[in-house]
Amino acid sequence: MTEDAERKMQFLYALRSRGVTDKRVLQAMETIDRGPFIRGIFSDRAYEDMPLPIACGQTISQPSIVGLMTQALKISPRDKVLEVGTGSGYQAAVLSRLARRVYTVDRYSRLVREARALFDEIGLTNITAITADGSFGLPDQAPFDRIIVTAAAEDPPGTLLGQLKTGGIMVVPVGQSDAVQHLIVARKTEDGVEYDELRQVRFVPLLEGLGKDT
């Protein structure tokens, strides 16, 4: 077995051992190589199950959290998905293997530019990456079948819930401090919104406005 194949096997084993069991999600994460999404001194740690720093003071989530959040969305091949917080572009790339269309927004134009270049390089043609204040969602493209937020809000964001179709699912970290955040699954029904808690997590905060590139 080549070193690359062995590394990929260990990567998938780590995902499964941490609760990522959906076959379509595992297949998507096997197809999308995390390596190109991590640059610089941390690139040799791309296949470890840990969050890593990226540009603009942001992070790329650990793969098992990407897998668990994606799994909780229960994406079907016809779904239109909104991601708030493009970051490295890795989460959007995984979503693109499962959904019909992915819209991803980030407050940092540098991150959006770099993610777009990677999507082009890999040949992912069903992702639209936009520099925008993600706390407002994307009203022009709403409603969405699924919404994923990769930054922590103090409460489940009402604006984003308003852009979710009835029957849709939103996954969002919620918490008022860096120390304690909970990953919430919100399901929009005819009668309102039902919430389930997945697990404790740690994400950067969801901030309003556009960021200054660093």
Side-chain angles (χ1 to χ4, degrees), residues 111-166:
L111 295 180
V112 170
R113 277 196 313 274
E114 290 179 357
R116 273 192 200 135
L118 273 171
F119 301 150
D120 288 345
E121 201 178 296
I122 299 167
L124 303 175
T125 56
N126 63 336
I127 305 176
T128 302
I130 299 164
T131 304
D133 182 343
S135 60
F136 292 109
L138 270 185
D140 292 354
Q141 298 298 335
F144 296 95
D145 300 287
R146 302 288 187 266
I147 297 177
I148 181 170
V149 186
T150 60
E154 289 194 1
D155 299 292
T159 304
L160 298 180
L161 283 168
Q163 294 177 26
L164 191 62
K165 280 184 186 174
T166 300

Side-chain angles (χ1 to χ4, degrees), residues 18-174:
R18 288 168 176 82
V20 183
T21 54
D22 184 294
K23 284 183 182 166
R24 287 182 69 233
V25 173
L26 287 167
Q27 192 172 21
M29 294 186 74
E30 183 176 11
T31 305
I32 300 295
D33 186 354
R34 191 176 184 236
F37 294 90
I38 299 167
R39 298 193 170 100
I41 58 170
F42 294 103
S43 57
D44 61 339
R45 309 189 76 171
Y47 305 99
E48 295 177 29
D49 191 38
M50 62 189 302
L52 293 167
I54 58 170
C56 304
Q58 303 301 291
T59 56
I60 180 172
S61 299
Q62 67 192 83
S64 59
I65 294 294
V66 170
L68 289 169
M69 290 177 81
T70 306
Q71 183 170 271
L73 285 170
K74 301 187 187 306
I75 297 169
S76 80
R78 295 210 51 76
D79 283 348
K80 180 169 74 168
V81 181
L82 170 65
E83 179 196 29
V84 176
T86 308
S88 68
Y90 177 63
Q91 173 74 76
V94 170
L95 296 170
S96 77
R97 310 313 297 159
L98 301 164
R100 175 175 60 86
R101 187 91 215 152
V102 177
Y103 290 87
T104 180
V105 299
D106 202 287
R107 62 200 295 267
Y108 292 102
S109 58
R110 175 184 171 182
L111 295 180
V112 170
R113 277 196 313 274
E114 290 179 357
R116 273 192 200 135
L118 273 171
F119 301 150
D120 288 345
E121 201 178 296
I122 299 167
L124 303 175
T125 56
N126 63 336
I127 305 176
T128 302
I130 299 164
T131 304
D133 182 343
S135 60
F136 292 109
L138 270 185
D140 292 354
Q141 298 298 335
F144 296 95
D145 300 287
R146 302 288 187 266
I147 297 177
I148 181 170
V149 186
T150 60
E154 289 194 1
D155 299 292
T159 304
L160 298 180
L161 283 168
Q163 294 177 26
L164 191 62
K165 280 184 186 174
T166 300
I169 297 172
M170 179 166 78
V171 176
V172 55
V174 172

